[in-house]
Amino acid sequence: MADPYVHGYHAREHERLHDQAGALVDLLHSDTAYPSGAKVLEAGCGVGAQTVTLAQRSPDARFVAVDVSAESIAEAERRVRDAGRANVEFRQADLFSLPFEAESFDHVFVCFVLEHLSRPVAALETLGKVLRPGGTITVIEGDHGSAYFHPDSAAARAAIECQVELQRRAGGDALIGRRVHPIMTEAGFDAIRVSPRMVYVDSSRPELVDGFTRRTFTAMIEGVRESAVAAGLSDAESFDAGVRDLHRTAEADGVFCYCFFKGVGEKWRSAV
Ligand SMILES: C[S@@+](CC[C@H](N)C(=O)[O-])C[C@H]1O[C@@H](n2cnc3c(N)ncnc32)[C@H](O)[C@@H]1O
């Protein structure tokens, strides 16, 4: 059975994923481009927030994007069509039982998915099976332990911790960014290079204040309010104070920092 997905599939979360992708396009995608004719699997494409960028940046590559959620696939298809891209085929599939032949992809791309899985190494091993020898896998994950900000706030840190704990209880790991190299290694990939991608936000970068601090990170924490209170991890008042303090970091004298981790590995050994 698929792992429960802590953020849920509602419209506000879909918007948040697109805000996140929009704010981070250059930071995360600047060094990703696939050659003409390459066949690329995007695993866990969600509502297509990364898919549109991938398809735009590698217009002559052919993408196959899969997600376990039919609703998300439908939304992703619409977004890719609206962006005028015709180089993506969508399939509803669980990445643990992919409907593809072994070694049938030149490259694999997976972003913000492993953090939700109880068996991320097994997921990478499964993805490795459909990758041809010599092909690459790109893994992008965040790490909520990397969030720090000014003004600092114990209440904000406690609200973030609620999200980390909820994700842990759902079988995932919101601190997985720091494990990208170890899990790719354990899954058997070679020539792994992980690069930290730091988001630094102050009021001189208004597009990130809005697109990242408010609409990506703080919106994500706000999104678990009911679950955190229901689980007894916080009371409503304390949680709301934490969210208020996160919004406070988006004011004129505020600063917000966060780090994503992007790993690229190759498949050489047949054991992957
Ligand atoms: C946080 S979203 C990320 C979506 C997209 N990659 C992005 O960066 O915006 C995680 C996605 O992984 C999908 N997912 C979770 N478990 C999966 C599985 N076992 N097989 C396929 N997709 C899965 C969820 O349905 C969800 O759409």
Side-chain angles (χ1 to χ4, degrees), residues 108-178:
V108 172
F109 180 94
V110 56
C111 182
F112 307 147
V113 176
L114 301 181
E115 61 167 318
H116 298 293
L117 306 180
S118 53
R119 296 182 300 132
V121 174
L124 288 176
E125 286 169 346
T126 309
L127 294 172
K129 289 197 172 76
V130 299
L131 185 60
R132 69 162 167 80
T136 71
I137 182 163
T138 298
V139 175
I140 302 176
E141 292 293 342
D143 188 319
H144 296 355
S146 72
Y148 56 98
F149 33 80
H150 172 78
D152 195 10
S153 153
R157 281 187 266 115
I160 295 168
E161 187 51 36
C162 289
Q163 154 83 67
V164 172
E165 177 58 19
L166 284 170
Q167 204 158 326
R168 194 186 64 75
R169 291 184 185 185
D173 181 4
L175 311 178
I176 200 168
R178 69 193 70 180

Side-chain angles (χ1 to χ4, degrees), residues 57-235:
R57 295 206 164 204
S58 300
D60 299 319
R62 294 172 297 138
F63 292 89
V64 178
V66 305
D67 199 282
V68 76
S69 159
E71 186 198 343
S72 295
I73 289 276
E75 172 72 8
E77 270 189 299
R78 190 182 64 72
R79 300 248 184 186
V80 166
R81 204 173 42 242
D82 288 353
R85 306 310 326 173
N87 54 338
V88 187
E89 178 194 323
F90 288 94
R91 295 281 291 268
Q92 183 191 359
D94 186 328
L95 63 80
F96 286 102
S97 50
L98 289 168
F100 307 120
E101 296 203 350
E103 303 187 352
S104 54
F105 287 91
D106 299 304
H107 304 281
V108 172
F109 180 94
V110 56
C111 182
F112 307 147
V113 176
L114 301 181
E115 61 167 318
H116 298 293
L117 306 180
S118 53
R119 296 182 300 132
V121 174
L124 288 176
E125 286 169 346
T126 309
L127 294 172
K129 289 197 172 76
V130 299
L131 185 60
R132 69 162 167 80
T136 71
I137 182 163
T138 298
V139 175
I140 302 176
E141 292 293 342
D143 188 319
H144 296 355
S146 72
Y148 56 98
F149 33 80
H150 172 78
D152 195 10
S153 153
R157 281 187 266 115
I160 295 168
E161 187 51 36
C162 289
Q163 154 83 67
V164 172
E165 177 58 19
L166 284 170
Q167 204 158 326
R168 194 186 64 75
R169 291 184 185 185
D173 181 4
L175 311 178
I176 200 168
R178 69 193 70 180
R179 293 170 56 213
V180 166
H181 192 281
I183 60 179
M184 290 181 77
T185 303
E186 197 179 335
F189 293 101
D190 298 303
I192 303 160
R193 303 294 302 167
V194 173
S195 54
R197 309 279 162 122
M198 186 182 182
V199 188
Y200 168 79
V201 190
D202 65 27
S203 57
S204 69
R205 304 167 190 232
E207 68 293 344
L208 282 177
V209 171
D210 199 47
F212 189 77
T213 306
R214 288 203 187 96
R215 295 161 70 94
T216 296
F217 193 86
T218 305
M220 174 186 65
I221 301 301
E222 274 181 300
V224 301
R225 179 183 188 274
E226 313 307 328
S227 318
V229 172
L233 296 174
S234 180
D235 58 77

